[in-house]
Amino acid sequence: MQFHHKQSARGLSAQPQISKEKVNMTRRWIFTFVLSMALAALCTPVFAQSLISGDIAGTVSDPSGAVMPNVSVTVKSTDTGSVQTSTTNGSGAFRFSLLKPGHYTVTASQTGFEKVERALEVAVGQIVTADLQLTLGSNTQTVEVLAAAPLVSTEPSMNTAFTQAEVEELPSPGGDMTNIAQTVSGVIMNNTGGYGNFTINGLPATSNLFTVNGENDMDPYFNINNTGATNLTIGQNEVQEATVIANPYSGQYGQLAGAQVTYVTKSGSNQFHGNALYWWNGRDMNSNDFFFNQAGVPRPFSNANQYAASVGGPIRKNKTFFFFDVEGLRFVLPNGFLTTIPTQSFVTAAMNNIQMLQPNEAATYKKMFNLWENAPGAGSAQAIPNNSECNALTLPGFDPTTQSCAAQFRSSANALGKEFIVAGRVDQKIGNNDNVYFRYKLDHGLQPTSINAISPAFNALSNQPAWDAQLNEVHILGARSTNSFTATFSHYVAQFSQDNAAATAAFPYQVATSGAVPFTGFNPLSSFPQGRNVSQYQFIDDFTHIA
C-alpha cells in the first residue's frame, strides 16, 4: 500500500497479534510534574526550560557599569498586551519565566534615570538575555535599545529551533510536520523498515518523542508519532515554532532517549492575521513508472489536492483572542501490481476435473476463475514459460512440461484517500496574574488501507477519526514565582475494515495461495476487521521560583 514509506501506526500492517480483533487500549494516565527551583546568592539562577515557553533574563546597570538593585522592570507582550512587573535583586538581575513564545518589550525605570526599553522575541526553551544600562536623566524620556538580544541555551543537549517563517518555508510534502527533523544534524531517514520516521545519533526510530504544546503527540501502541488517515502528521499551518532536541537528558523531557520534537501552535493577537494556501499535483506533472513503461502500461491516473487556511485576531483587545486553522488533502495515487493468474489451458483442465469430481462446487470455482480472468489489465497477461511451480499442478488434461499454468501482467489501481483537520484556540487574560487558553482539534479521514488488483470490491477503506483537547493556565504567583498547568485529553480510532457486503457478494471466500500455487490471492477476509481505540490523558505542571 502507498503508505508504508512512513512505517506509521495508522496503516494496516500484517501484525498477527492484532489480526481479527478490535484492540481497546487501556486508558493511560501520564503524570509529568516538573519542579524547577534554583537558589543562588547574588546571581540569576539557570535551570531547565519548559517545552512550551521561554524566559527573559538580564542585568540592569548604571552608566559606570555597576549593577543596580531594586530597579523596576516590566515586560509587555506586544502581541496580546499582557504585562508583568518585577524588580532587580541585590546583584541587579531580573528574570521572567514561563513566557509564551512571541514578541515582547522589556522596560527598566528608576527615579533620576531615563527609561530603557528593548524589543525582543521569546523562543521555546530558550533564555533571551536582555541586559539594560540606565543613563542619567528624566524618567519621562525613554531610550530604545536596538541591539539584538542573544539567546542562552543551558541544556546539555543539541537544540535546533525553527521559527514560524522557517516552518512555513520548509518544503513539506503532504504538510507533514515531522519533516522538519530531517534537516537536523545526526538525523537519518528510516528507510530500512520497522516503525518510526527517522533515527537520530544511532538511536532507534521508536525512541523519539513528539509533543504539541507540551502534550505527548504519540501513538502508544507503536511508540511513534500520532498520524491520521493519510499516515501524515498534518498541521504545519498551525505551528508557530518547532524545536528538535537531541540528547534530551533534562528532567522535563524524560520518557524517551531519542529526539524530542516539540511544536507550539499559533494563537491570536491584537492584530488580525491569516492565510490561505493550495497545492496541486497530478498525472500531467509526473512521469510513468519504469516497469509500466517496460510492460507497455500507460501512465495511470493520479491527483493530489492539498489546502490550508487560518485566521486569528482579537475578540476583545488585550483580553480575548482566537485562532482557527483548517488543513487537508484529497488524493488518488496509483498502486502498481504484478499479478499472476491461471492460463486458459489450466482453467479448462481444472474445470473439467471439478465438474467430474465435485459438480456441486463447479459454480464457485467458475466464479473464482472469472475474477482472475476479468481482472483489470488481465487481457495483456503473458504466459510464464518454464514455470517450475506448475510442476506441482498435475491434472488430467494438463501437462506442465509442455503447457504453462500461469500468466503475468502489470496493472495499477487506486482509491480516494482524504484527511482534514479543524483546530481552534481561544486565549483569555484573566486579571493581571492569570492567562488561560483552550485548544481543540478534530482530525477525520478515509484511508485506502488495502487496494486489490483483482477487484475494487475487495478494497479496504477505513474511516479514522481523532480529536484532541488542551487546557492551559499560567498563574503569576508573585514577582519571582510562576506556575503553568496543562490538562489534555486525546482519542483516536484506527479501525480497518472492508465493505463486507460488497466483498462477499463478489466472492464469499478468501483466496490464499502458497508457493506451490503461483496465482495472486484476493479477498483477505481473515484480515478484517482489526484495529484499536486509544484514549490518553495527560497532566503537566511547570513551576518556577527565583530566589
Side-chain angles (χ1 to χ4, degrees), residues 299-312:
R299 182 170 48 181
F301 176 75
S302 63
N303 197 38
N305 297 272
Q306 182 183 342
Y307 58 88
S310 68
V311 62

Side-chain angles (χ1 to χ4, degrees), residues 127-148:
I127 304 171
V128 184
T129 301
D131 293 332
L132 304 173
Q133 187 173 54
L134 299 182
T135 58
L136 295 172
S138 170
N139 61 5
T140 60
Q141 295 179 317
T142 302
V143 177
E144 184 177 359
V145 180
L146 300 178

Side-chain angles (χ1 to χ4, degrees), residues 421-442:
I421 64 169
V422 177
R425 172 170 167 162
V426 175
D427 290 68
Q428 175 67 47
K429 180 181 179 182
I430 305 174
N432 293 324
N433 296 327
D434 291 277
N435 293 279
V436 178
Y437 81 76
F438 176 76
R439 173 179 173 266
Y440 176 82
K441 185 183 79 169
L442 171 69

Side-chain angles (χ1 to χ4, degrees), residues 44-45 47-50 53-60 71-77 82-89 92-101 104-109 116 118 120-123 125-132 432-433 474 476-483 544-546:
T44 300
F47 53 94
Q49 299 301 295
S50 166
S53 61
D55 285 14
I56 297 174
T59 303
V60 179
V71 176
S72 177
V73 182
T74 300
V75 61
K76 179 179 180 180
S77 169
S82 62
V83 176
Q84 293 187 46
T85 301
S86 182
T87 56
T88 58
N89 63 11
F94 66 91
R95 182 159 181 163
F96 297 92
S97 299
L98 300 180
L99 296 174
K100 174 184 172 184
Y104 292 84
T105 58
V106 178
T107 304
S109 62
V116 177
R118 185 170 193 168
L120 44 83
E121 184 175 356
V122 172
Q126 302 286 345
I127 304 171
V128 184
T129 301
D131 293 332
L132 304 173
N432 293 324
N433 296 327
V474 176
I476 301 171
L477 300 168
R480 303 193 185 281
S481 298
T482 306
N483 191 79
T544 176
H545 176 74
I546 302 172

Side-chain angles (χ1 to χ4, degrees), residues 287-359:
S287 61
N288 198 11
D289 179 87
F290 171 83
F291 295 104
F292 286 170
N293 277 332
Q294 187 182 47
V297 178
R299 182 170 48 181
F301 176 75
S302 63
N303 197 38
N305 297 272
Q306 182 183 342
Y307 58 88
S310 68
V311 62
I315 298 176
R316 293 177 58 202
K317 193 170 183 179
N318 294 331
K319 290 288 185 180
T320 310
F321 312 92
F322 79 96
F323 180 80
F324 178 80
D325 177 60
V326 59
E327 300 179 49
L329 58 161
R330 295 171 60 89
F331 57 88
V332 174
L333 298 178
N335 288 249
F337 300 98
L338 178 62
T339 304
T340 304
I341 62 175
T343 60
Q344 188 58 54
S345 58
F346 179 82
V347 171
T348 300
M351 287 304 302
N352 289 337
N353 282 273
I354 291 169
Q355 288 172 349
M356 180 176 60
L357 300 175
Q358 297 173 309

Side-chain angles (χ1 to χ4, degrees), residues 34-356:
V34 179
L35 177 60
S36 299
M37 179 179 291
L39 299 175
L42 305 178
C43 67
T44 300
V46 177
F47 53 94
Q49 299 301 295
S50 166
L51 297 178
I52 60 174
S53 61
D55 285 14
I56 297 174
T59 303
V60 179
S61 60
D62 64 15
S64 68
V67 297
M68 298 181 63
N70 300 318
V71 176
S72 177
V73 182
T74 300
V75 61
K76 179 179 180 180
S77 169
T78 57
D79 297 325
T80 65
S82 62
V83 176
Q84 293 187 46
T85 301
S86 182
T87 56
T88 58
N89 63 11
S91 60
F94 66 91
R95 182 159 181 163
F96 297 92
S97 299
L98 300 180
L99 296 174
K100 174 184 172 184
H103 300 88
Y104 292 84
T105 58
V106 178
T107 304
S109 62
Q110 179 79 319
T111 302
F113 294 87
E114 296 180 345
K115 290 182 180 179
V116 177
E117 183 178 279
R118 185 170 193 168
L120 44 83
E121 184 175 356
V122 172
V124 174
Q126 302 286 345
I127 304 171
V128 184
T129 301
D131 293 332
L132 304 173
Q133 187 173 54
L134 299 182
T135 58
L136 295 172
S138 170
N139 61 5
T140 60
Q141 295 179 317
T142 302
V143 177
E144 184 177 359
V145 180
L146 300 178
L151 296 176
V152 177
S153 176
T154 64
E155 301 301 329
S157 58
M158 296 177 290
N159 297 3
T160 304
F162 298 83
T163 65
Q164 180 178 332
E166 290 171 334
V167 171
E168 292 174 350
E169 296 299 327
L170 186 68
S172 180
D176 189 340
M177 300 191 304
T178 67
N179 285 330
I180 65 167
Q182 307 289 351
T183 66
V184 174
S185 176
V187 168
I188 299 176
M189 180 181 293
N190 179 18
N191 56 10
T192 59
Y195 295 106
N197 299 15
F198 62 86
T199 65
I200 185 166
N201 297 334
L203 293 169
T206 52
S207 294
N208 303 321
L209 178 65
F210 297 80
T211 64
V212 176
N213 295 331
E215 175 191 5
N216 284 17
D217 192 33
M218 300 290 290
D219 182 339
Y221 196 84
F222 294 94
N223 207 43
I224 63 174
N225 57 292
N226 253 332
T227 60
T230 60
N231 285 357
L232 304 170
T233 304
I234 63 176
Q236 183 180 14
N237 196 50
E238 192 193 5
V239 175
Q240 176 177 329
E241 290 188 20
T243 305
V244 180
I245 305 164
N247 305 327
Y249 295 119
S250 295
Q252 79 273 28
Y253 302 127
Q255 303 180 57
L256 298 172
Q260 169 91 47
V261 186
T262 70
Y263 305 98
V264 175
T265 62
K266 298 175 184 176
S267 59
S269 66
N270 279 325
Q271 302 296 323
F272 285 100
H273 54 90
N275 65 354
L277 306 166
Y278 175 76
W279 300 266
W280 175 82
N281 191 358
R283 174 166 52 186
D284 293 339
M285 300 181 68
N286 296 275
S287 61
N288 198 11
D289 179 87
F290 171 83
F291 295 104
F292 286 170
N293 277 332
Q294 187 182 47
V297 178
R299 182 170 48 181
F301 176 75
S302 63
N303 197 38
N305 297 272
Q306 182 183 342
Y307 58 88
S310 68
V311 62
I315 298 176
R316 293 177 58 202
K317 193 170 183 179
N318 294 331
K319 290 288 185 180
T320 310
F321 312 92
F322 79 96
F323 180 80
F324 178 80
D325 177 60
V326 59
E327 300 179 49
L329 58 161
R330 295 171 60 89
F331 57 88
V332 174
L333 298 178
N335 288 249
F337 300 98
L338 178 62
T339 304
T340 304
I341 62 175
T343 60
Q344 188 58 54
S345 58
F346 179 82
V347 171
T348 300
M351 287 304 302
N352 289 337
N353 282 273
I354 291 169
Q355 288 172 349
M356 180 176 60

